[in-house]
Amino acid sequence: MNMREALPWEPRPARRIAVVGAGISGLACAWMLSREHDVTVFEAGKQAGGHTNTVDVTLDGVTHPVDTGFLVFNRRTYPNLIALFGLLGVEAVETEMSFSVSLAQPDLEWSGTSLRSLFAQPGNAARPGFWRMLRDILRFNREAPRLALGGSAAGLGLGEYLAANRYSREFRDWYLLPMAAAIWSCPTRAMLHYPLETFVRFCDNHGLLQIADRPQWLTVRGGGREYVRRMCSQLDDLRLDTPVLGVFRDANAVWVHTPQRIDRFDEVVFACHSDQALAILGADATAGERQILSAVRYQPNRAVLHTDASLLPRRQGVWAAWNYAAAPAGESAAPVDGAVSVSYLINRLQPLPFDTPVVVTLNPVREPDPARVLASFDYAHPVFDIAAVAAQRALGGIQGVRRTWFAGAWTGYGFHEDGLKSALPIVEALGGRVPWRGSARGSENVVEACSA
């Protein structure tokens, strides 16, 4: 259905808009702009969704959808996603966001799920370093927000702050860096360069700096592909398996070159990674575009979907929703030196009908049993160092210049809400409308669906 047919207001003259990328940012731009304009979405992959990647898993004769990328969200810090899901009729169910650490050197395992899991390894209680870690967790949660949110941490990296304030090695290596690396899917050493102010603001917004009153996490019933299907069904021109080879701009138009043809558009929205956008623009990129888009680096990550429980912590009492692991030096099977290894226990994150543990492991420290591997995928996640944050702040200077716009989770913290949020000002600048702004209707719908 052409979405302009159902408009309650008089539409402006339609413009032809190209959207490059069919992840959350591209789908959101296209879904909202299609109400007034002729929008074509170009997706290099064979399916839409980007990091929303749901696959069907069959175990013991039962088939059920399993998410391997985007997994969770909450009402407090994902307000736009909550509203979108409400309008789409997407149902949500409650889940957990527990976290565990499993190290080989030293032999250490713990989980923050409960007191029992915290001391599931009996020797933890006799470790002075373990108590130093717990003490510094409380100190960091108390002191860091005052510094960062007070505006006195500008330009200060996380590693610099930890060293200057004499935080213990155990707190850094057994808790903070594993947790941060697992959240951002990047090497622990990269997190040392993460801007402290940005890091603390994210943790504070997501309730990670408090013991009580944390947000209730949710997951999509039926997998994230449910929202992707609903959005795609309302698009007029979605071209899958159609990589954009180049984009060329002149004073009157934007020309999009694909293997099949060259199309003329009035505007283009790059809803892909910044390095991909820069590669597509090639020699046509302006100096400002090159400076900003090249400042964001990406960490390649390999995700393996499997049922090999030996990739989880050695002690079952430590198992959590997110499980960080580190092998002895030189023994990791991770494809990139220093890449984070985290195993998501999907049974804890989604309502699965399986007793067998279903696991998605990012960069396994060792390869799972081949007989238990179900699938593998290659992802890339932005690395948010000081240069990347500076590029985010400068992005407004190139938005709309030469009929070109940039969206993506890389413009924020790197998560689904950030990808969606990046689309909203672009939609409004191009004369579109964000349907939930000024109304809580979408939020109420998804909350009701979750409570049902």
Side-chain angles (χ1 to χ4, degrees):
M1 178 188 76
N2 188 317
M3 298 184 70
R4 293 193 297 277
E5 295 175 1
L7 282 178
W9 65 89
E10 184 66 26
R12 300 176 184 179
R15 299 154 82 184
R16 293 202 70 205
I17 299 175
V19 176
V20 182
I24 180 63
S25 305
L27 290 177
C29 283
W31 184 74
M32 287 181 275
L33 288 172
S34 292
R35 298 167 183 263
E36 293 191 11
H37 301 294
D38 294 323
V39 180
T40 298
V41 182
F42 297 93
E43 169 55 47
K46 296 184 183 300
Q47 63 183 32
H51 282 207
T52 301
N53 186 8
T54 310
V55 299
D56 287 322
V57 169
T58 301
L59 293 172
D60 301 323
V62 177
T63 300
H64 197 272
V66 170
D67 280 323
T68 67
F70 164 65
L71 280 162
V72 295
F73 58 101
N74 66 68
R75 301 184 187 101
R76 183 192 303 176
T77 57
Y78 290 68
N80 293 294
L81 196 67
I82 287 282
L84 173 64
F85 285 0
L87 291 173
L88 293 172
V90 171
E91 294 186 44
V93 293
E94 293 185 353
T95 186
E96 65 172 86
M97 279 287 283
S98 53
F99 177 68
S100 79
V101 173
S102 179
L103 307 179
Q105 291 177 347
D107 177 13
L108 173 74
E109 290 192 329
W110 68 273
S111 167
T113 308
S114 64
L115 276 176
R116 174 174 290 187
S117 65
L118 193 65
F119 296 100
Q121 184 175 0
N124 288 350
R127 268 189 165 121
F130 197 77
W131 291 102
R132 283 194 294 270
M133 179 190 78
L134 296 178
R135 177 201 66 197
D136 280 350
I137 289 174
L138 298 176
R139 180 162 77 98
F140 184 85
N141 291 355
R142 182 178 65 251
E143 294 179 354
R146 286 203 298 261
L147 174 66
L149 304 182
S152 57
L156 190 63
L158 180 60
E160 294 176 275
Y161 172 76
L162 297 179
N165 290 271
R166 302 174 67 87
Y167 278 92
S168 65
R169 175 181 55 82
E170 293 86 0
F171 166 76
R172 183 193 67 188
D173 296 342
W174 298 357
Y175 168 70
L176 190 67
L177 292 184
M179 178 189 71
I183 290 174
W184 277 281
S185 304
C186 71
T188 53
R189 66 171 182 271
M191 291 309 306
L192 291 172
H193 303 290
Y194 200 108
L196 175 67
E197 184 177 0
T198 305
F199 178 82
V200 173
R201 285 187 183 279
F202 172 85
C203 292
D204 186 58
N205 289 342
H206 286 71
L208 299 176
L209 301 180
Q210 57 200 60
I211 303 300
D213 193 32
R214 291 189 170 187
Q216 173 61 60
W217 290 90
L218 309 169
T219 190
V220 175
R221 186 188 296 276
R225 69 183 177 194
E226 289 302 314
Y227 89 80
V228 175
R229 285 174 172 171
R230 286 166 168 79
M231 296 184 84
C232 289
S233 70
Q234 298 179 46
L235 300 180
D236 293 325
D237 190 2
L238 170 60
R239 303 182 189 179
L240 300 177
D241 200 16
T242 307
V244 174
L245 304 179
V247 167
F248 311 95
R249 301 158 296 181
D250 59 30
N252 301 309
V254 173
W255 302 90
V256 176
H257 181 195
T258 66
Q260 292 79 25
R261 54 202 277 187
I262 296 178
D263 289 289
R264 181 191 186 282
F265 294 91
D266 298 305
E267 308 277 347
V268 61
V269 179
F270 284 99
C272 53
H273 289 171
S274 55
D275 59 344
Q276 295 171 331
L278 184 57
I280 292 171
L281 285 171
D284 198 48
T286 67
E289 288 168 342
R290 283 193 295 271
Q291 181 178 4
I292 291 172
L293 299 177
S294 65
V296 183
R297 297 182 295 114
Y298 290 83
Q299 171 67 33
N301 290 303
R302 172 171 163 261
V304 182
L305 175 64
H306 63 91
T307 60
D308 187 348
S310 69
L311 269 293
L312 296 171
R314 298 178 292 279
R315 298 162 180 84
Q316 190 167 346
V318 178
W319 288 7
W322 292 32
N323 302 274
Y324 173 91
E331 294 186 14
S332 175
V336 179
D337 180 40
V340 64
S341 181
V342 57
S343 290
Y344 306 93
L345 182 54
I346 307 300
N347 309 66
R348 293 277 185 96
L349 290 162
Q350 294 183 287
L352 302 185
F354 310 127
D355 294 325
T356 301
V358 177
V359 184
V360 173
T361 299
L362 210 63
N363 307 317
V365 293
R366 60 171 182 77
E367 290 301 323
D369 180 353
R372 295 181 176 273
V373 173
L374 303 172
S376 65
F377 312 94
D378 291 317
Y379 295 114
H381 297 87
V383 176
F384 296 105
D385 53 18
I386 291 174
V389 173
Q392 292 174 344
R393 291 172 178 161
L395 180 60
I398 61 172
Q399 290 286 35
V401 177
R402 300 188 71 192
R403 305 170 178 265
T404 305
W405 308 82
F406 301 93
W410 64 270
T411 66
Y413 291 116
F415 300 96
H416 240 56
E417 177 72 8
D418 302 294
L420 175 56
K421 186 178 178 181
S422 74
L424 307 187
I426 295 174
V427 168
E428 292 179 332
L430 291 173
R433 175 175 172 267
V434 179
W436 59 85
R437 285 199 165 167
S439 169
R441 179 168 62 91
S443 178
E444 291 168 356
N445 286 351
V446 79
V447 171
E448 289 172 2
C450 179
S451 303

